[in-house]
Amino acid sequence: GTSRFLFVIRCSSLTREPVVLFTEGCRPSRFRADVPSSTCAFEFTLDRTLAAGELAFVAFGVRFPPGQTGEHTQMAIFRPARDLALSIEFEPDCLPRRCVAFFQPRCAAPPEERGETTFDQGNSTFQFITLDPLPGQYGIRWSWT
């Protein structure tokens, strides 16, 4: 009977609301923001209600407001999944020096690096794709120096 899911993010500041750029397999339904903590919650409705044990593919893109100072993004999954894909795109004139994918099985455990890239003018996107991910935190970290 699953018909929706939540996506919660914390920005470094909320000068304006994040914007959903696209969706696949779902659509935005509700949005709430807590400005003092810069926390945003998006509720997405699946294109159709899932039966018990049924799987669905969903994809969505979010543009963060300007002025963000964070140097990572991450997503937590609480149950095993078939695959997980994270992608981050930087403005071509403001590329970080380095990007690293990571997995953290538990909050107390140190992150395990899973892949790295450097950028040039022809490349402004970094993707982290993993098959059969276990529960935990999956993310991308970048540095400017």
Side-chain angles (χ1 to χ4, degrees), residues 10-16 38 64-71 144:
R10 180 171 290 151
C11 299
S12 52
S13 67
L14 273 180
T15 55
R16 62 184 135 180
S38 297
F64 291 90
Q68 300 307 303
T69 59
E71 293 186 340
W144 305 105

Side-chain angles (χ1 to χ4, degrees), residues 1-134:
T2 301
S3 63
R4 57 195 69 239
F5 66 95
L6 293 175
F7 176 65
V8 179
I9 57 173
R10 180 171 290 151
C11 299
S12 52
S13 67
L14 273 180
T15 55
R16 62 184 135 180
E17 294 179 0
V19 176
V20 176
L21 299 173
F22 68 87
T23 62
E24 187 174 341
C26 62
R27 63 189 177 283
S29 56
R30 291 190 287 180
F31 173 81
R32 297 288 185 269
D34 179 64
V35 175
S37 69
S38 297
T39 302
C40 301
F42 293 90
E43 180 183 62
F44 291 91
T45 301
L46 297 172
D47 285 349
R48 64 184 184 78
T49 301
L50 302 177
E54 190 175 11
L55 302 175
F57 171 82
V58 296
F60 58 91
V62 175
R63 174 175 288 142
F64 291 90
Q68 300 307 303
T69 59
E71 293 186 340
H72 80 283
T73 187
Q74 67 188 46
M75 182 173 281
I77 59 171
F78 301 100
R79 295 189 175 131
R82 289 284 174 103
D83 59 48
L84 176 83
L86 296 174
S87 179
I88 188 161
E89 182 176 0
F90 296 93
E91 293 292 331
D93 59 345
C94 189
L95 298 173
R97 183 168 187 179
R98 178 177 183 252
C99 244
V100 177
F102 67 87
F103 168 63
Q104 190 172 9
R106 295 175 312 286
C107 288
E112 304 166 7
E113 290 190 358
R114 297 282 177 100
E116 177 178 354
T117 194
T118 54
F119 292 99
D120 57 39
Q121 291 300 32
N123 176 25
S124 62
T125 302
F126 180 71
Q127 296 178 334
F128 175 24
I129 301 168
T130 186
L131 301 176
D132 301 318
L134 298 173

